[in-house]
Every structure is written in structure tokens, then in C-alpha cells.
Amino acid sequence: MAGHTRRAALTGAASAAAIGLSPGTAHAVGGRRHGGTTFVFAAGSNGAGTTVDELALRGHRCVGVTPPGFADTAGQYRRSYQAPQDLAALATEPSPLAGVTLADQVDATVAVVRRAACLGPVVLVGGSIGGATITLVANRVPELIDRLVYDTAYCCTELASPDEYLRTPEGAASEVGELLGFLAADPAVIGAVRSNWRLADPDLLATAKRVLIEDGTDAELFALLNSMAPDEILGKGAEDSRGDPRGWGRVPRAYIRHARDRVLPLPLQNRMIAEADRRTPGNRFTVFDLDTGHVPNVAKTAELIEILDRLARRRS
């Protein structure tokens, strides 16, 4: 497996953030009802799409997408992954994600969007490599999505894939490759990218904290790692994920930049925003900023939710 593909497969460790529309701002399409906003959280890397409980408490529906293979907890969370770990078995046991593709993940997300669209406006959210998924979903069903939200996420337009963006000068500063120390198996053997997030090596954990959640506590780091499934789809970052102006380009979109992100450096985020805006000059990104790393800590997440809640209540 190519190094850049392995790097890209690790870039979605963050849980997604969301942005909303006020109830009634979207028109009914194909029998859709004028209900409250539903936030659909696409999966990033190493797990299902997460939801934000506080947004639900503030009156917004939230649903996370579980892609094919990730619901197989018996396959993902095996005995060899528990302490004391059987590292030899972990390195050879087949993955439930063997043969699963990004297209399968897109299909699963489209299915959730279709159900949510029956209730009212849909805001589709993708964090990190989940941006590739939401772009492809928008290519398929733009009429069912009221807004796309890229939370420090890949938005491919001029280049085809997340892997290609990591090879740009703006992407070269990414430190996601530092997480390769967590890899636990040969992808060609198990049919997926497998990481052992339960390693206790202090140097490796310090690296993970710096790269993923630098302004978090150790407890927040451990909670993050324990929320991530060990296996991820093979070759996900190499897939063509470009937005089509005829589909994706019709959907209003927002980008939440993370100023201190070490996975998707700020210059890379800016490049993708600029390229997307050039592709659809009549439908440009609305941009918001957070002074945080790839994964916000508790305090920064609270700031984010305040912004998102205000946006959800504001008419577009």
C-alpha cells in the first residue's frame, strides 16, 4: 500500500461538527416536509459518523451514518484487540471491511440523506476525509441537501483525491504520517488499514496527542482513541472525490477552518476553499474559524456548538 494512501486513510480521526439552517428556510422538494433541520454526520476515518448531543438538546435532529462493515463489531473489536493483546493474530485476521469501498460508504450516506429529507432540511456534515464522502453524496442527490459542511475536511475540485492534495506543497506539512506507528497489519493480508489505537507506548501517544488533539488533556486523547475503530477502508484516500458543479456545485456550503490543524494544515484548507470557489464562483464557501487543532478539545467544541446553534437559527 502506498505511503500517501496510508496517510490519507488516517486523516479522518476527528468527530464531525455541524452547521444548520433555520426551520422552514428550505423549500419542499419531491414531497419533503417543512420540518426542523436534520444534521447528517458522514463517517470520517476509523468509525461511524458521530453526532453532537448538545445540538440535539437545542432542538436539532442529528444522525450519524454507519458505513458498511463498521456495524460488524464482532469483526472490528476482536479478542486479539483486547488486553493482553494478541498482536500476531491482530496482524493476520481478515477485516470485515475487506472489499468495502468508498462507493459503498457513499451509498450508505445517500440512503440516510433520503430518509432525513422526508422530514425537512438536511445539513450534511463531513470531517477530515469525510469531506470526500459528502462531496460524492452531493454529486448524487444535490436536491436533497440544503447545506454541506466541511469541518477541516477534504474538498476535492482541481485535484482528484485526498492523497493528491497531501502531495501538494500545502499538504506536505501534514503530520498525519506520524500516526503510521499505530499500524498493526499488512493491508494486503487483512484487506483493510488496521491501527492498534490501544498501544501504550508513551512516545507514540505523545505524537498522537500533538497531531490530533494538541490542546486536549490526556483523558480527551484516550477517549478519542477509544472511539476509533481499528479498521478503515483500504485505498479510500486515493479515490476520485471531485465535486461536480452540476451537482455538488449547486448546494450551499460552509467550511470550518481549524487554524492549528496538523493533519490538514491551514494552507491546505485555504487551497481547497479557493479552488472550490473558483469552480463555482456563484456559490462560494461561507467560512468560519476555530483556533484549534484537528480535533477540538471540550472548551473549543463548546465554542463551536455556540456558533453552529446561532447559524442553525439564522435564516440563510
Side-chain angles (χ1 to χ4, degrees), residues 1 46 75-76 78 80 87-100 182-196 229-234:
M1 181 181 180
N46 296 92
Q76 283 270 16
R78 58 196 74 236
S80 60
L87 297 181
L90 196 63
T92 57
E93 292 168 341
S95 171
L97 295 181
V100 177
F182 285 97
L183 289 180
D186 181 348
V189 172
I190 67 164
V193 179
R194 177 169 293 158
S195 300
N196 185 358
D231 291 2
E232 176 55 290
I233 295 171
L234 182 61

Side-chain angles (χ1 to χ4, degrees), residues 21-313:
L21 300 172
S22 63
T25 59
H27 60 280
V29 178
R32 297 166 67 194
R33 290 186 286 170
H34 291 273
T37 298
T38 300
F39 298 96
V40 176
F41 294 86
S45 184
N46 296 92
T50 58
T51 62
V52 181
D53 291 344
E54 178 63 23
L55 289 175
L57 289 172
R58 298 186 186 201
H60 312 297
R61 286 188 299 267
C62 300
V63 60
V65 178
T66 301
F70 285 93
D72 183 359
T73 54
Q76 283 270 16
Y77 296 99
R78 58 196 74 236
R79 181 178 294 275
S80 60
Y81 193 52
Q82 307 305 313
Q85 292 186 313
D86 184 344
L87 297 181
L90 196 63
T92 57
E93 292 168 341
S95 171
L97 295 181
V100 177
T101 66
L102 177 60
D104 296 324
Q105 193 161 341
V106 170
D107 288 344
T109 310
V110 167
V112 174
V113 167
R114 288 190 187 281
R115 293 188 64 187
C118 294
L119 303 174
V122 172
V123 176
L124 180 59
V125 185
S128 198
I129 204 167
T133 300
I134 68 172
T135 297
L136 295 175
V137 171
N139 282 346
R140 288 261 302 272
V141 289
E143 72 281 1
L144 300 182
I145 305 167
D146 293 81
R147 184 161 297 188
L148 296 166
V149 179
Y150 294 80
D151 180 34
T152 191
Y154 288 97
C155 181
C156 303
T157 50
E158 294 185 7
L159 301 180
S161 69
D163 278 8
E164 291 185 46
Y165 277 98
L166 281 177
R167 292 194 288 268
T168 63
E170 296 86 355
S174 173
E175 297 181 22
V176 68
E178 300 297 317
L179 301 179
L180 293 177
F182 285 97
L183 289 180
D186 181 348
V189 172
I190 67 164
V193 179
R194 177 169 293 158
S195 300
N196 185 358
W197 302 117
R198 292 178 178 169
L199 291 175
D201 179 272
D203 292 334
L204 198 53
L205 290 174
T207 296
K209 184 177 179 183
R210 185 187 75 248
V211 174
L212 294 177
I213 186 166
E214 187 172 19
D215 51 2
T217 64
D218 286 349
E220 287 174 309
L221 169 67
F222 299 147
L224 171 64
L225 295 180
N226 280 309
S227 73
M228 294 160 61
D231 291 2
E232 176 55 290
I233 295 171
L234 182 61
K236 187 173 176 180
E239 295 292 329
D240 190 333
S241 308
R242 283 174 289 190
D244 185 339
R246 297 167 297 180
W248 159 86
R250 293 162 45 193
V251 184
R253 59 181 185 259
Y255 199 103
I256 303 174
R257 296 187 297 196
H258 293 206
R260 294 184 283 118
D261 196 334
R262 294 177 181 268
V263 175
L264 274 72
L266 185 59
L268 180 57
Q269 298 173 56
N270 288 335
R271 172 177 177 151
M272 292 186 290
I273 292 168
E275 290 180 355
D277 287 349
R278 286 197 298 268
R279 183 61 59 91
T280 58
N283 180 25
R284 299 169 64 86
F285 268 114
T286 302
V287 179
F288 305 93
D289 292 297
L290 282 177
D291 183 24
T292 190
H294 195 62
V295 181
N297 64 11
V298 171
K300 293 298 181 182
T301 298
E303 292 180 22
L304 175 59
I305 290 171
E306 288 296 332
I307 296 170
L308 300 176
D309 185 49
R310 290 198 303 270
L311 289 169
R313 299 176 188 282

